Amino acid sequence: MNHTLPHFQPVELKHASRLINHGPTVLVTSAHGGRRNIMAAAWSMPVEFTPPRIAIVIDKSTFTRELIAASGVFGVCLPGAAAADLTYAVGTASGREQDKFQRFGLQAFAGSTTGVPLLANGCVAWLECRLIPEKHTEDAYDTCFAEVVGAAADARVFANGHWDFHEGNAALHTLHHVGAGNFAVASSLLKAKPLP
């Protein structure tokens, strides 16, 4: 694990689906040929546990899709509540004509499995993903499938395979886009009790 990220711990791949099964807004990172990009995506979900696979909607006209098609890999970073402004900014600016990492002062590091640019500052987890080519769904529905090949999370909010949202870690709660630049934030957990 990266020594400059003391709060982040590897997530067992059998638990990787739990990082996005509650529907957070994510930041999709990509790179190829010396160019890189980051964008916000509100529609992602796990689709299989073993091996861990996800689906994510990324419009075919985006620079991100171009980079993913060329490289075959991408990152999924989960911003915390403190990164709401950044999430909105990277989701509304195009990276085709500018490097959004540079424009917004983002410090990325290369993922240890795929080499994709990943963010820790402002983010609470990330997944490294390898594209599973599915031309029909990519073209018809802008939906990309990928296998998760690496994952890590901030242990202050995700540990032992589970989220732990509470008042003491509110800045680390995940964001959920509800439209027009508005976000809901994951709240304290409510534990269900078995019914008699």
Side-chain angles (χ1 to χ4, degrees), residues 74-150:
F74 60 95
V76 174
C77 302
L78 282 72
D85 293 343
L86 171 67
T87 301
Y88 184 68
V90 301
T92 55
S94 172
R96 194 174 295 281
E97 303 301 324
Q98 62 187 333
D99 183 330
K100 288 193 275 185
F101 288 88
Q102 186 175 23
R103 176 179 174 188
F104 297 112
L106 304 177
Q107 297 298 315
F109 63 95
S112 61
T113 305
T114 63
V116 296
L118 296 172
L119 295 179
N121 192 8
C123 290
V124 297
W126 66 79
L127 302 98
E128 291 184 73
C129 302
R130 193 171 316 282
L131 182 68
I132 300 169
E134 292 286 344
K135 186 142 178 58
H136 174 71
T137 56
E138 291 170 19
D139 291 346
Y141 308 110
D142 290 325
T143 301
C144 299
F145 291 94
E147 182 175 343
V148 178
V149 294

Side-chain angles (χ1 to χ4, degrees), residues 1-11 19 78 109 119-126 151-164 166 168-169 171-172:
M1 187 53 47
N2 189 321
H3 299 295
T4 62
L5 307 170
H7 297 293
F8 282 80
Q9 297 298 317
V11 171
L19 293 173
L78 282 72
F109 63 95
L119 295 179
N121 192 8
C123 290
V124 297
W126 66 79
D154 189 321
R156 297 174 296 176
V157 71
F158 187 93
N160 302 315
H162 297 282
W163 288 104
D164 182 20
H166 54 77
N169 63 13
L172 303 175

Side-chain angles (χ1 to χ4, degrees), residues 25 84-85 87-88 175-179 181-185:
T25 297
D85 293 343
T87 301
Y88 184 68
L175 295 170
H176 304 264
H177 190 247
V178 294
N182 296 306
F183 295 92
V185 178

